[in-house]
Amino acid sequence: MKTENFLLIILISVIFLGIVITNNIKYTGNAVGIVSSEVVNTNCFISLKEGWNFISFCANATNKEINSILSGIGNNYKYIMLWNETNQKFDIYSILSNEKPFNDFDFSKGYFIYLTKDNISLIIGGESYNSYQKNLIFGWNAPGYVYTDSMNINDLTRFIQDDFRYIMKWNNIDQKFDIYSPLASSNPFTSINKGEGQFIYIKNNDGTSFIY
């Protein structure tokens, strides 16, 4: 799937939800992520499919350079996309571009990675996490999910119950978003799992602190 088609899917999803992101969005400043880790080493295994994958990092590697983290998958990827909360758009990293918007991963955030080969395992070694805190702003945010165990959405959002409207996870088999709403009678998912990325829409104009 081309990048342009992927971005169109996102736009259609946003329109479908009835969320209009306009130029008069009020921001409270830069979102600052704080992630704590205990000194327990672990290996984080993330299964990747051909096409777009939306991932989080579940081990705190010392070297966060893209070339280091993705060394195990070789040249089997083309693009990496990082959600820019302030501008409400993606920063796009291309292996073919001489100018890249970033060269290191921020492990407090989720990333889209486009793979050209199916069924690849990304293995990341490092310290395990025992807590997570990140400031989220009004609009869409893409905080990471840093644990190796699954977590129920109610537990994940227990401190932001009144502040969020939607959570989206990427279905890398169907190549589309699955959308969770706390107001829906049924939802396509009720938990977040190891290595999965997430989009959270914050409806509070003043933002919120995301702790789990």
Side-chain angles (χ1 to χ4, degrees):
M1 182 184 294
K2 295 181 178 179
T3 303
E4 294 81 359
N5 293 338
F6 171 74
L7 295 176
L8 180 59
I9 289 175
I10 293 178
L11 179 60
I12 292 173
S13 299
V14 171
I15 293 175
F16 174 76
L17 290 172
I19 300 170
V20 180
I21 301 175
T22 62
N23 291 330
N24 62 356
I25 290 177
K26 298 179 180 178
Y27 297 107
T28 59
N30 294 328
V32 178
I34 303 173
V35 182
S36 300
S37 62
E38 60 182 2
V39 184
V40 176
N41 290 328
T42 186
N43 283 324
C44 175
F45 296 85
I46 304 174
S47 297
L48 304 175
K49 298 291 186 181
E50 183 178 3
W52 288 105
N53 299 262
F54 191 26
I55 70 168
S56 293
F57 300 100
C58 43
N60 190 14
T62 302
N63 187 346
K64 296 179 174 62
E65 292 181 1
I66 290 173
N67 291 336
S68 174
I69 296 298
L70 300 185
S71 60
I73 66 176
N75 295 321
N76 296 309
Y77 69 99
K78 281 187 175 181
Y79 306 104
I80 302 170
M81 299 207 304
L82 168 65
W83 182 248
N84 187 317
E85 286 94 353
T86 302
N87 297 324
Q88 295 286 284
K89 68 178 184 65
F90 283 106
D91 294 332
I92 303 174
Y93 173 109
S94 170
I95 61 174
L96 299 178
S97 175
N98 292 326
E99 296 185 5
K100 297 175 173 59
F102 51 89
N103 291 296
D104 297 342
F105 285 114
D106 179 346
F107 277 27
S108 71
K109 299 181 178 182
Y111 288 81
F112 271 103
I113 301 178
Y114 185 86
L115 259 64
T116 57
K117 185 178 180 180
D118 202 15
N119 296 323
I120 293 179
S121 292
L122 177 62
I123 304 173
I124 303 168
E127 296 177 357
S128 62
Y129 293 92
N130 67 353
S131 63
Y132 179 99
Q133 178 177 336
K134 183 175 175 60
N135 293 333
L136 306 183
I137 65 174
F138 174 72
W140 288 106
N141 299 260
Y145 180 70
V146 299
Y147 299 136
T148 55
D149 296 326
S150 299
M151 183 177 291
N152 185 278
I153 295 298
N154 289 333
D155 293 331
L156 179 75
T157 60
R158 63 189 182 277
F159 294 119
I160 61 168
Q161 286 285 348
D162 297 328
D163 298 322
F164 87 99
R165 184 173 294 169
Y166 303 103
I167 298 177
M168 297 200 302
K169 296 198 306 182
W170 182 250
N171 187 320
N172 62 0
I173 296 176
D174 296 334
Q175 293 287 288
K176 67 178 184 66
F177 282 112
D178 292 331
I179 304 169
Y180 175 100
S181 170
L183 300 179
S185 57
S186 63
N187 280 294
F189 60 88
T190 58
S191 64
I192 185 166
N193 306 308
K194 175 188 68 176
E196 291 184 332
Q198 58 183 334
F199 265 107
I200 302 179
Y201 186 86
I202 298 301
K203 61 183 180 180
N204 186 342
N205 286 339
D206 295 326
T208 189
S209 182
F210 185 39
I211 305 171
Y212 66 83

